[in-house]
Amino acid sequence: MMDSRKVPSAACGSFLLLILFSVVGAAAADDETVPARDSKQAVDEAYTAKIQKYTTAPYFTSPLVNYLPASKTVPTPEAVLGDIAGAPSVLPYAEDVYKYMRMLEKASPRVKVFSIGMTEEGREMIAVAVSSAENLKNIEENRARLAKLADPRTIKLDDAEADKLVAQAVPVYYITGTIHSPETGAPTALMELAYRLSVDESPYIREIRDGMITLITPVVEVDGRDRMVDIYRWHLAHPKDFYPPLIYWGKYVAHDNNRDAMGVTLKLTENVLNTYVGWKAQVLHDLHESVPYLYDNTVGDGPYNAWVDPILTDEWQMIGARNVADMTKFGMPGVFTHGDFDTWSPGYLMFIAAMHNGISRLYETFGNGGADTQERTLDPEEYSRTWFRQNPPFPKTLWSQRDNNNYEQTGLLTSLHYFNENKRLFLKNFYLKAKRSVMKPAAEGPAAYVLPADESRPGLQAELLHVLQKQAVEISRAKSAFTIALPVKKEKPKKDAKDSKETDKEKKPEPTSRDFPAGSYIVRMDQPYARFADALLDHQYWSPDDPQKTPYDDTGWTFGELFGVQVTRVTDLKVLDVAMERVVNVHAPGGVKGDGAVFAINNNAEPALATLRYKMKDAGMEAAEEPFEGDGKKFNRGSLVIRNVSRADLDRAANDLGLQVVALGAAPSVKTHPVRAARVALMHTWLSTQTEGWWRLALDDLKIPYDYISTQKIAKIDDLNAKYDVILFPPVGFFSGPTAIINGMPTGWGNPLPWKNTPETPNLVGKNDSTDDMRPGLGWDGLAKLQAFVQKGGVLLTATDTSRFATEIGLVTGVSAHASERMKIVGSVVGTRLVDSGSPIAYGYDEKVAAYCDNGPIFSLSSIAGARGRRRLGNESHTRPTGRGTADDPDFTVGRPTVEAPEEPTSEIWEAPPVTDEQRRNGFRVIPPANRARVIFRYADKKDLLISGLVEGGDEIAQHPAVVDVPAGKGHVVLFSINPVYRGETRGTYSMVLNTILNFDSLDAGRKLAEK
């Protein structure tokens, strides 16, 4: 029982209010159903007593969940859990949750369980449908009705026909839980919710059951759930010890698994997406835990995503406000909406619904990261009363998993009931949003997006189209060449215009057009899911003056830019009249053409080139260090020249990979160097594996083998060069300061934190790494071995925070990394410029390259060892000192002849300042030209820096190096200020990393040394 001394004085009144609710129900309008149990139905007394026991205060429950109806045939969650849902010390594995759901299915015709796919580690994901037996019997007929509403083209946009379907259809409300593994409460709440919906005969619950289908995926991140339960059980077995943090959730990423709804690179996203679209659901409601006590953050704060239908934003307000009102009437504190969460990015799992004409919803409730009952003390900002939180949480309270389950279930039940009461409205809106998408070209534009058939990167183009197809977006292909009109770009008025008449006389820009060849891909905007395609392919702009100063996630994500392929936004409606056909299977053309025993593949920075190298390990491959022509075709610098390979094998591999191979009559005469299949290690810390997981996923997708090793293991390998040619050190993310990477977590106190499979923790390691103690870091000995690896010829590739580590810890000379003072680049797409086209890292790239940046480090170069490169903002001023004459005249000194000063050396911002004559005097600190840092890409000028998203104070990083190759002994350290591998969205910059791997022992190719 709860200590009464910890209960605020309001508890007594709330308890009486709760009894009143339980007996007669909350006050309701005449036409509303009272939220109260059916007095004619028996209550499971023992289970109900435990609900009351584990609920720490009477106002932390509601008349909807403060009892459990009894059933003689349907088991309660206690049958599997051994206690009630939300009981202390009880945290079930996903398998136990599934076992119970299937027991429900066996015992009740009101429950059906569907397998919806597998995780990366082979665990099952399920969806549980709960409704009346009649509704579940007619699932397919209902799905057919909903499909017509989802695609109004099937009923010719006939509103009258839609109204008939709306009157007949049963809506589907999809609930998902525990995508974030440390947020542990949802599975037990959803187990009990499924029981209530199938058993409870109160009018309030019965209306939900008879009027709609509730679809439940109780565990989204199944791999992470089982690891979290392992850790919790380890904690129970060692109550006096610190327990290890959940370093791995799924196989690849942790918290970012809820940022994958755009790229759909993870199995959990794909499975939920296919379920939502396949069921033609109207709502996707995702359960999270981080805010006391229930925050409906769907309404959130501005700016809203620019591509969602205003009908949806109105629905957010309607449901959110009603949710808060109902729970507040129950006397439950800490329930609110609005807040400061911006609903801008479509990367969240819930946005699957928002971008497929449904309703996206998300709860943040209050979890303890396990099933312990704990006293929780809040920060003032969490319990303060604000305009949007008029009934805030308590500053301090005893909180249990049962409290959390009460809030989750109460919120869901009130939402389900309100949705059911208004289901005809929401079903009609579901249809209207789809109809408005179909009518989008004429109503708002654009008409289509076109991806040309003559794309230089057809493989990346196909990958982008595959992403759209995963989102159920239709792709068409032109049967013949066509021309479209492009909109006239408005030019800003000239500042020197004398008056309006002179401005009017200026010649107006002429309309332009563009020709597209046959076979070009057309993404029509007159289709139901056009808004998602529009959101992914269009550009984003977040104003620096926006009132929202703390964007919650990325602000820019334009997929065409990040994939490095051409995408044209077309407003000309005539594009819809082009003869075209739907494409089901998009595949880049590939194979061998021509005659000859030597083969060549043009390098256009396609990642598939790296896959080919590793797939055909025995083939002789070389990279051309200069452009060349062969058999009437032009080949870029870095193109592959292949010998000693079976034409049939090469043709088969190239066809699979979408690579076009040309058989040459003779080998090109240009200089080449070998392209070897480097031995790669991907190094991680035990501080965080969040960001590097995207790198592992990319390498696995490309089938590039690597060893996955921790900084601890690096420190134990005496000769790294004997095992590896390249070590990738992707961004760490959290807790990533240089000393933290060296030192790890504190080891001066506490117990070891093991991450390994044991009888107590059978699921921890999975397919990742293990250690006896997570706390130690790289250590100074490990740093020395890493440095020796580079000095002896190895390549170390770093990005963002690990690049800062390399510069600050002394792994490189001549490069310094500065933190920004006022720059604000929040997950944006920025412009970079090619500086050194001769570098193998740049092979296949054009002069302009779009890249992902999130306040990356600001690199500055110096040719003097130990000197810190000076950060420069824009073009420096070189005005003369005050004196005689005009601004262009030399000054003079009275009483002596004029002496002309030597011309000052100049350099670009991305370059190291030239070495002066004075510095060369006894210049033992002057870095020899062959050892100086080599800038491969730089950031664009300030005016060209922003492509999509938010860039404020961009002059701090404009023109500074973005990718730098630093020689070190016989090896190299490659520094990225951008993040080239991120969330499956940045495939256009993957080849910067892959080029480094393929050319690891020839990175000095094409280098032009300074004269001094």
Side-chain angles (χ1 to χ4, degrees):
M1 292 293 291
M2 180 180 173
D3 187 341
S4 61
R5 290 171 296 176
K6 297 177 181 177
V7 180
S9 59
C12 182
S14 296
F15 183 68
L16 293 175
L17 180 64
L18 183 63
I19 295 175
L20 179 64
F21 271 127
S22 300
V23 176
V24 300
D30 292 340
D31 58 344
E32 291 184 355
T33 304
V34 174
R37 72 177 184 86
D38 181 5
S39 59
K40 297 178 182 178
Q41 185 176 19
V43 169
D44 187 322
E45 298 291 351
Y47 197 107
T48 299
K50 289 184 176 180
I51 291 176
Q52 295 171 358
K53 178 182 178 181
Y54 299 148
T55 299
T56 63
Y59 39 76
F60 290 155
T61 188
S62 74
L64 292 172
V65 298
N66 66 352
Y67 71 96
L68 195 77
S71 172
K72 296 180 179 179
T73 58
V74 180
T76 72
E78 195 168 12
V80 169
L81 301 177
D83 206 330
I84 73 166
S89 304
V90 177
L91 208 63
Y93 287 106
E95 184 179 349
D96 297 324
V97 179
Y98 296 175
K99 179 181 179 181
Y100 175 69
M101 294 301 194
R102 289 189 163 111
M103 289 172 65
L104 278 183
E105 179 185 36
K106 187 175 181 180
S108 172
R110 297 169 174 174
V111 180
K112 284 188 178 295
V113 178
F114 300 86
S115 182
I116 64 172
M118 308 298 285
T119 69
E120 283 83 359
E121 295 188 353
R123 293 181 176 89
E124 184 187 24
M125 291 179 64
I126 67 170
V128 183
V130 188
S131 191
S132 68
E134 184 69 16
N135 287 340
L136 295 184
K137 179 182 177 182
N138 298 315
I139 281 179
E140 294 307 320
E141 292 89 335
N142 188 63
R143 193 198 312 268
R145 296 188 191 99
L146 293 176
K148 292 179 180 179
L149 294 175
D151 187 355
R153 297 171 301 180
T154 59
I155 57 173
K156 300 180 181 179
L157 310 184
D158 187 335
D159 291 352
E161 183 62 25
D163 288 339
K164 295 178 184 177
L165 292 167
V166 166
Q168 299 168 352
V170 176
V172 178
Y173 195 111
Y174 188 18
I175 303 168
T176 53
T178 312
I179 186 173
H180 284 167
S181 302
E183 301 168 9
T184 55
T188 49
L190 294 173
M191 291 167 71
E192 191 173 284
L193 179 73
Y195 175 87
R196 291 182 186 279
L197 290 174
S198 62
V199 168
D200 201 324
E201 295 298 336
S202 69
Y204 194 90
I205 302 299
R206 193 171 61 245
E207 287 174 8
I208 297 172
R209 182 171 61 240
D210 293 344
M212 59 195 301
I213 297 172
T214 302
L215 193 64
I216 301 170
T217 291
V219 183
V220 173
E221 177 53 274
V222 186
D223 299 332
R225 172 67 180 191
D226 286 359
R227 292 191 177 98
M228 184 64 200
V229 175
D230 273 4
I231 287 177
Y232 183 69
R233 294 191 175 189
W234 190 93
H235 156 66
L236 293 178
H238 306 84
K240 296 182 179 180
D241 289 342
F242 297 119
Y243 51 88
L246 191 65
I247 191 71
Y248 295 103
W249 298 9
K251 179 180 179 181
Y252 293 113
V253 297
H255 192 273
D256 256 15
N257 61 8
N258 193 35
R259 303 295 187 273
D260 188 47
M262 288 189 282
V264 197
T265 61
L266 303 176
K267 290 295 185 183
L268 65 83
T269 315
E270 186 174 0
N271 294 338
V272 171
L273 170 62
N274 290 342
T275 302
Y276 179 85
V277 174
W279 278 79
K280 310 302 177 188
Q282 283 64 62
V283 182
L284 177 55
H285 194 151
D286 197 25
L287 302 183
H288 291 251
E289 298 170 19
S290 68
V291 178
Y293 298 126
L294 188 150
Y295 172 34
D296 181 350
N297 80 349
T298 315
V299 180
D301 195 4
Y304 283 174
N305 181 276
W307 292 267
V308 299
D309 195 307
I311 293 176
L312 170 61
T313 63
D314 184 46
E315 291 170 322
W316 287 341
Q317 305 283 345
M318 293 168 61
I319 302 176
R322 180 57 182 265
N323 216 167
V324 173
D326 282 350
M327 295 183 71
T328 301
K329 290 175 184 177
F330 292 150
M332 303 179 78
V335 180
F336 65 101
T337 189
H338 293 294
D340 58 4
F341 169 78
D342 67 80
T343 311
W344 174 252
S345 168
Y348 312 111
L349 188 76
M350 67 168 177
F351 247 80
I352 288 172
M355 289 301 180
H356 291 86
N357 301 319
I359 302 173
S360 54
R361 301 205 64 211
L362 188 148
Y363 281 167
E364 294 281 5
T365 57
F366 201 37
N368 286 339
D372 290 356
T373 299
Q374 299 175 327
E375 188 170 72
R376 302 293 299 274
T377 302
L378 306 185
D379 294 331
E381 64 180 19
E382 293 179 301
Y383 62 76
S384 61
R385 187 163 67 92
T386 67
W387 70 268
F388 57 79
R389 188 173 51 213
Q390 287 291 300
N391 184 15
F394 297 109
K396 193 172 186 178
T397 194
L398 190 68
W399 189 258
S400 68
Q401 181 174 233
R402 183 64 215 187
D403 296 333
N404 185 29
N405 280 189
N406 289 340
Y407 270 77
E408 288 171 313
Q409 289 188 76
T410 301
L412 289 170
L413 287 169
T414 56
S415 292
L416 288 166
H417 193 268
Y418 176 70
F419 189 87
N420 183 66
E421 283 183 319
N422 298 276
K423 62 185 174 185
R424 303 305 168 205
L425 168 66
F426 292 123
L427 282 168
K428 185 62 178 288
N429 284 352
F430 180 65
Y431 160 75
L432 287 176
K433 284 179 286 188
K435 178 182 177 181
R436 284 154 65 102
S437 290
V438 172
M439 298 175 67
K440 181 176 171 61
E444 67 198 66
Y449 286 88
V450 179
L451 289 75
D454 54 2
E455 168 63 53
S456 62
R457 298 185 176 103
L460 284 168
Q461 182 189 71
E463 289 185 30
L464 174 53
L465 293 171
H466 290 159
V467 172
L468 295 177
Q469 287 186 315
K470 283 184 178 182
Q471 300 285 2
V473 173
E474 299 166 0
I475 309 297
S476 300
R477 200 166 192 181
K479 294 182 178 180
S480 58
F482 62 97
T483 302
I484 55 97
L486 298 176
V488 176
K489 290 187 177 181
K490 294 182 179 180
E491 295 184 359
K492 295 181 179 180
K494 294 183 178 179
K495 295 181 179 180
D496 58 352
K498 295 180 179 179
D499 52 45
S500 59
K501 291 183 179 179
E502 184 174 334
T503 304
D504 292 339
K505 292 179 181 178
E506 292 177 3
K507 186 177 180 181
K508 295 182 179 179
E510 295 290 338
T512 58
S513 62
R514 178 168 177 180
D515 298 329
F516 290 95
S520 294
Y521 292 101
I522 301 173
V523 184
R524 302 174 65 103
M525 290 292 102
D526 57 348
Q527 58 172 299
Y529 303 141
R531 293 193 188 282
F532 215 152
D534 198 13
L536 295 186
L537 300 178
D538 204 352
H539 288 73
Q540 297 79 42
Y541 177 72
W542 184 302
S543 171
D545 298 326
D546 195 280
Q548 175 62 269
K549 297 303 180 184
T550 54
Y552 196 79
D553 201 68
D554 291 344
T555 59
W557 53 80
T558 307
F559 270 46
E561 299 282 2
L562 290 175
F563 276 59
V565 299
Q566 301 177 63
V567 178
T568 300
R569 186 177 188 267
V570 179
T571 57
D572 185 357
L573 292 174
K574 292 181 180 178
V575 70
L576 301 177
D577 297 327
V578 172
M580 65 184 80
E581 58 186 356
R582 281 278 301 279
V583 179
V584 176
N585 297 314
V586 176
H587 184 73
V592 179
K593 293 184 178 179
D595 297 315
V598 178
F599 306 95
I601 305 176
N602 194 22
N603 193 334
N604 283 306
E606 290 263 37
L609 290 174
T611 305
L612 181 71
R613 169 65 283 184
Y614 283 90
K615 189 171 187 176
M616 307 193 74
K617 295 180 180 179
D618 298 328
M621 295 190 187
E622 297 174 338
E625 296 186 6
E626 297 294 337
F628 66 91
E629 292 190 21
D631 287 13
K633 298 184 181 298
K634 294 183 178 181
F635 293 85
N636 297 327
R637 182 184 281 110
S639 294
L640 294 185
V641 179
I642 305 173
R643 298 180 175 88
N644 303 322
V645 65
S646 160
R647 179 183 177 118
D649 291 344
L650 180 59
D651 182 71
R652 189 180 308 109
N655 185 65
D656 290 343
L657 296 172
L659 293 172
Q660 300 177 46
V661 184
V662 178
L664 303 177
S669 58
V670 296
K671 184 179 180 181
T672 63
H673 63 255
V675 173
R676 312 183 203 277
R679 301 166 300 164
V680 178
L682 192 149
M683 182 171 68
H684 72 90
T685 71
W686 287 102
L687 300 170
S688 172
T689 62
Q690 164 65 18
T691 310
E692 55 88 359
W694 295 115
W695 291 56
R696 287 187 283 121
L697 177 59
L699 293 177
D700 286 348
D701 284 348
L702 291 166
K703 296 180 172 56
I704 295 176
Y706 61 94
D707 283 352
Y708 182 55
I709 57 176
S710 71
T711 50
Q712 294 177 0
K713 290 182 181 177
I714 286 282
K716 296 176 181 178
I717 300 175
D718 291 329
D719 186 359
L720 289 168
N721 300 81
K723 298 191 69 173
Y724 306 114
D725 303 307
V726 178
I727 296 177
L728 305 178
F729 194 11
V732 175
F734 306 109
F735 321 114
S736 59
T739 55
I741 292 173
I742 295 291
N743 297 329
M745 305 177 207
T747 57
W749 60 85
N751 51 276
L753 301 176
W755 189 273
K756 57 195 299 185
N757 284 350
T758 68
E760 288 179 329
T761 56
N763 303 287
L764 277 191
V765 176
K767 297 182 179 180
N768 293 316
D769 206 353
S770 63
T771 180
D772 292 329
D773 188 359
M774 296 170 61
R775 297 177 300 165
L778 177 65
W780 295 105
D781 287 343
L783 177 64
K785 290 177 179 177
L786 201 59
Q787 192 167 30
F789 166 76
V790 175
Q791 291 290 325
K792 290 162 61 177
V795 173
L796 174 66
L797 186 150
T798 64
T800 66
D801 54 16
T802 57
S803 291
R804 187 178 290 114
F805 163 78
T807 60
E808 294 184 11
I809 215 71
L811 288 173
V812 298
T813 301
V815 183
S816 57
H818 307 266
S820 64
E821 296 176 357
R822 52 185 173 78
M823 179 180 74
K824 192 175 183 180
I825 301 178
V826 183
S828 299
V829 186
V830 300
T832 70
R833 298 293 181 264
L834 178 59
V835 174
D836 191 339
S837 61
S839 167
I841 297 172
Y843 283 169
Y845 282 100
D846 303 319
E847 179 191 355
K848 298 180 179 181
V849 180
Y852 174 85
C853 179
D854 187 33
N855 263 23
I858 303 169
F859 295 146
S860 296
L861 271 56
S862 174
S863 296
I864 309 300
R868 187 171 178 82
R870 185 163 55 92
R871 182 173 52 178
R872 293 177 281 175
L873 303 180
N875 295 321
E876 295 189 56
S877 174
H878 294 286
T879 60
R880 52 156 286 185
T882 303
R884 68 149 295 276
T886 67
D888 299 325
D889 289 332
D891 198 7
F892 78 110
T893 301
V894 176
R896 76 181 194 197
T898 300
V899 177
E900 187 174 348
E903 184 177 347
E904 293 185 18
T906 61
S907 63
E908 301 288 355
I909 289 177
W910 61 88
E911 297 175 329
V915 179
T916 66
D917 291 338
E918 285 297 304
Q919 290 170 328
R920 278 193 289 271
R921 294 177 62 244
N922 192 29
F924 59 88
R925 293 175 59 227
V926 176
I927 303 171
N931 296 89
R932 293 176 189 171
R934 182 182 186 183
V935 177
I936 314 303
F937 293 92
R938 66 169 177 89
Y939 286 101
D941 299 352
K942 178 184 176 182
K943 64 181 179 62
D944 300 318
L945 188 60
L946 174 63
I947 294 177
S948 279
L950 167 64
V951 172
E952 184 176 4
D955 56 324
E956 281 198 270
I957 204 168
Q959 296 186 319
H960 280 263
V963 182
V964 185
D965 175 14
V966 188
K970 296 180 181 179
H972 294 256
V973 178
V974 181
L975 309 170
F976 283 80
S977 172
I978 61 171
N979 187 350
V981 183
Y982 178 73
R983 292 183 178 175
E985 299 171 9
T986 62
R987 301 184 202 195
T989 49
Y990 280 11
S991 285
M992 295 182 186
V993 175
L994 301 174
N995 282 343
T996 304
I997 293 173
L998 296 182
N999 301 278
F1000 73 95
D1001 53 354
S1002 299
L1003 290 180
D1004 284 328
R1007 182 180 180 115
K1008 296 179 181 178
L1009 300 180
E1011 294 181 2
K1012 296 181 180 180

